[in-house]
Amino acid sequence: MPKRVLQGVVVSDKQDKTVVVRVERRFTHPLLKKTVRRSKKYHAHDEANAWSTGDTVWIEEHRPLSKLKNWIVVQGEKRAEA
């Protein structure tokens, strides 16, 4: 079975070798027929501490690395520095 890959934004990089990624999904509400946004946070492994808050990253399912970490960062884009 292929591993899931999700895209999200880094919301925290305070931990060592770990980033917290917010993944947002959009769907149509079954009754109201409006587009609804829901988000969920995932802890992902970042071996080189390369990603910081605001960066867009892709995370992939991985074997459990700790109590909360079951994802690993595979690629990403740095946020444009102003």
Side-chain angles (χ1 to χ4, degrees), residues 25-60:
R25 65 185 182 96
R26 296 169 65 151
F27 62 96
T28 304
H29 190 280
L31 182 63
L32 302 178
K33 307 302 185 209
K34 292 183 71 171
T35 302
V36 182
R37 298 187 319 182
R38 291 282 184 262
S39 63
K40 186 173 179 181
K41 292 181 190 173
Y42 296 94
H43 287 71
H45 186 67
D46 174 19
E47 181 66 35
N49 286 322
W51 307 108
S52 57
T53 305
D55 296 341
T56 301
V57 295
W58 283 263
I59 57 175
E60 181 180 73

Side-chain angles (χ1 to χ4, degrees), residues 59-71:
I59 57 175
E60 181 180 73
E61 277 184 313
H62 197 266
R63 65 176 175 79
L65 297 167
S66 70
K67 179 181 175 181
L68 296 174
K69 285 199 297 188
N70 296 316
W71 297 83

Side-chain angles (χ1 to χ4, degrees), residues 11-27:
V11 292
S12 175
D13 61 347
K14 295 182 186 304
Q15 302 173 65
D16 187 34
K17 296 186 179 181
T18 303
V19 290
V20 180
V21 180
R22 186 183 69 234
V23 175
E24 189 175 271
R25 65 185 182 96
R26 296 169 65 151
F27 62 96

